[in-house]
Amino acid sequence: MAADPVSGDFSRMLDATMQALAAVSAPADGVPADPPAGEAADGQVRAELGPDGRLHSLWVEPRLMRLGSVELTEHITTAVNAAIDAMRGATVPPRVGDLTQLREQLAEVRDTAVPRLGSFLQALTDAQERMVRGGPK
């Protein structure tokens, strides 16, 4: 059977989808990417964002607790805004949870449905050719 352009296109689409999923899923080695973070007051305040873009952690040097609340909150605000800016400026899209099961299902579709689609299209082509020749032969 000759390579069918429709099933070939379908297979390429599935491959591209699987590559896109791999690009946005968590790294396979389990090492998380560095979270977007920001600092203020010469590193005495540090804010980290989680994968969902929300504030994940905030660390304040205990000695800064002696500052007035206005000055302390200014440093915290600066650190959080720096983390947000780091997230916005990232060239790598934020990673999402484990998509292993979805990738496996897409691979199964590619490995089973694409050959079936090719066989189905070939059967239709054969039937059309028989009709053109004037009946079953």
Side-chain angles (χ1 to χ4, degrees):
M1 172 171 75
D4 175 46
V6 175
S7 61
D9 289 344
F10 185 68
S11 180
R12 282 189 292 280
M13 251 184 359
L14 282 173
D15 288 339
T17 302
M18 291 171 60
Q19 289 173 352
L21 284 172
V24 298
S25 63
D29 57 10
V31 178
D34 290 334
E39 294 184 349
D42 298 320
Q44 296 180 78
V45 178
R46 180 172 172 83
E48 287 186 3
L49 302 180
D52 59 358
R54 297 178 61 171
L55 184 62
H56 174 67
S57 68
L58 178 65
W59 177 81
V60 178
E61 171 67 38
R63 289 179 286 173
L64 284 185
M65 300 304 239
R66 296 182 198 137
L67 297 175
S69 62
V70 172
E71 190 176 356
L72 179 59
T73 56
E74 285 175 359
H75 289 309
I76 291 171
T77 301
T78 299
V80 171
N81 284 335
I84 292 169
D85 291 343
M87 180 186 65
R88 288 181 180 160
T91 57
V92 177
R95 299 211 174 256
V96 296
D98 186 14
L99 298 173
T100 303
Q101 183 179 6
L102 182 56
R103 280 197 307 270
E104 289 171 358
Q105 289 172 342
L106 283 173
E108 183 179 343
V109 167
R110 182 195 59 212
D111 295 343
T112 59
V114 171
R116 287 182 187 173
L117 178 61
S119 297
F120 176 72
L121 291 173
Q122 184 62 47
L124 287 176
T125 301
D126 293 346
Q128 182 181 16
E129 288 174 1
R130 284 193 305 271
M131 289 173 59
V132 168
R133 288 192 308 252
K137 293 185 182 173

